[in-house]
Amino acid sequence: MDKDALMHSSIHIYTSQSHVHLQATQYQKHKYTMAKTSLPLAASFLLLLISSAAAAEAGRLFLTVVNHCPFTVWPAIQPNAGHPVLEKGGFALPTNTHRSFFPPSTHWSGRIWGRTGCSHYNGKFSCVTGDCGHRLECNGLGGATPASLAQFDLHHGGHQDLSSYGVSLVDGFNVPMTVTPHEGRGVCPVVGCREDLLKTCPAHLQLRSHGGHVVACKSGCEAFRTDELCCRNHYNSPQTCRASSHSLFFKHACPSTMTFAHDSPSLMHDCSSPRELKVIFCH
């Protein structure tokens, strides 16, 4: 091959390689451009999903438990039969802290109370008041009386989406407790007992610790166990179950609470579509 042919061949080879390199470079740029375009699209889609989930959660009722007492309270939650346990049924809540959680978005009913004086001793958990079988997480168990109770019946009434709530001292008192609704419609008052009844509890209703401190105030039923005071048997009707001097002690101190089994009128309030129901200890 002569010199000019060799030079022409080299130029052709070099040009062909440059063309392949150019094509490869253009392909890489195309991939990079596609990646740059798809990343914002993926991020936008993810943000849309998050926003949709947040919007769904934003309209959903939640419960908040707040402890303003100068000591730790161990809230306990017991569902009524057929309803799920919330938050494993109990937890510790140090002073000036709160905890929020969602109940089911369908019908749920149950109660919340506060346990006091809880401790672990020799591997055993127990509370001075409100104890639920020596467990931190009650998992559906009820609590020992006396105890102040917040009662709930959520998401009933069809399209009205009513949530009923009230505070009961029918089983006695152990800690001040209120229920405060937020953003509901209709009858949505703050109810409960802000008074510390341990300071004024009559001697015959006092429950004392081993150290002699008043830790709870018993109901007349618990103190004396009679059918009349417990509204049992013949007395288990609105006509025969009446207020007693014992229940009147609680009623005079905390008029927006239920104080005996057939307390009338009902102090459970129907609030339509509240955003939040807040249980406050030592409000």
Side-chain angles (χ1 to χ4, degrees):
M1 182 179 294
D2 61 20
K3 185 177 180 180
D4 290 340
L6 181 61
M7 183 179 294
H8 177 76
S9 175
S10 298
I11 291 171
H12 177 74
I13 292 169
Y14 178 77
T15 304
S16 298
Q17 288 175 338
S18 298
H19 179 67
V20 171
H21 177 70
L22 177 61
Q23 285 184 321
T25 302
Q26 288 174 335
Y27 175 69
Q28 291 296 331
K29 284 182 178 180
H30 178 67
K31 284 178 66 180
Y32 178 67
T33 303
M34 288 291 290
K36 283 178 69 179
T37 305
S38 62
L39 279 173
L41 287 174
S44 298
F45 182 67
L46 182 60
L47 285 172
L48 181 62
L49 287 176
I50 293 170
S51 298
S52 299
E57 294 294 286
R60 189 175 165 190
L61 168 66
F62 63 97
L63 300 175
T64 299
V65 185
V66 183
N67 180 19
H68 285 326
C69 300
F71 48 83
T72 297
V73 172
W74 286 259
I77 307 166
Q78 182 188 31
N80 289 341
H83 296 281
V85 175
L86 307 182
E87 301 297 290
K88 299 182 180 179
F91 49 88
L93 197 63
T95 183
N96 294 323
T97 62
H98 72 276
R99 181 161 170 171
S100 296
F101 49 92
F102 290 109
S105 55
T106 54
H107 182 229
W108 184 89
S109 62
R111 53 179 53 187
I112 296 176
W113 69 97
R115 295 169 289 172
T116 62
C118 302
S119 62
H120 287 275
Y121 183 72
N122 287 338
K124 179 180 173 183
F125 180 83
S126 63
C127 301
V128 174
T129 70
D131 190 79
C132 63
H134 307 303
R135 299 183 182 187
L136 170 62
E137 298 171 342
C138 299
N139 282 314
L141 293 179
T145 57
S148 318
L149 294 174
Q151 299 177 318
F152 299 94
D153 189 12
L154 309 179
H155 299 305
H156 66 95
H159 69 278
Q160 296 182 67
D161 189 25
L162 298 176
S163 287
S164 305
Y165 60 93
V167 172
S168 171
L169 303 182
V170 173
D171 292 326
F173 172 97
N174 68 332
V175 65
M177 166 190 272
T178 60
V179 178
T180 301
H182 291 284
E183 300 182 27
R185 300 185 303 274
V187 184
C188 306
V190 176
V191 299
C193 188
R194 298 173 186 245
E195 300 296 322
D196 184 0
L197 300 186
L198 301 186
K199 297 176 180 178
T200 55
C201 183
H204 60 278
L205 298 180
Q206 293 174 358
L207 176 67
R208 292 181 175 270
S209 66
H210 293 304
H213 301 291
V214 178
V215 294
C217 193
K218 301 176 186 177
S219 65
C221 171
E222 182 160 3
F224 299 103
R225 306 288 181 178
T226 67
D227 284 355
E228 183 176 6
L229 291 175
C230 295
C231 293
R232 291 188 302 236
N233 300 322
H234 170 71
Y235 297 96
N236 186 19
S237 76
Q239 292 74 36
T240 56
C241 176
R242 304 291 178 84
S244 67
S245 60
H246 315 297
S247 69
L248 288 174
F249 161 73
F250 296 108
K251 180 65 76 176
H252 290 156
C254 303
S256 69
T257 62
M258 291 170 281
T259 59
F260 63 100
H262 291 280
D263 203 346
S264 180
S266 174
L267 292 169
M268 288 289 284
H269 298 281
D270 293 332
C271 186
S272 180
S273 303
R275 175 76 181 88
E276 176 188 30
L277 290 172
K278 186 178 288 184
V279 177
I280 304 176
F281 296 111
C282 301
H283 194 169

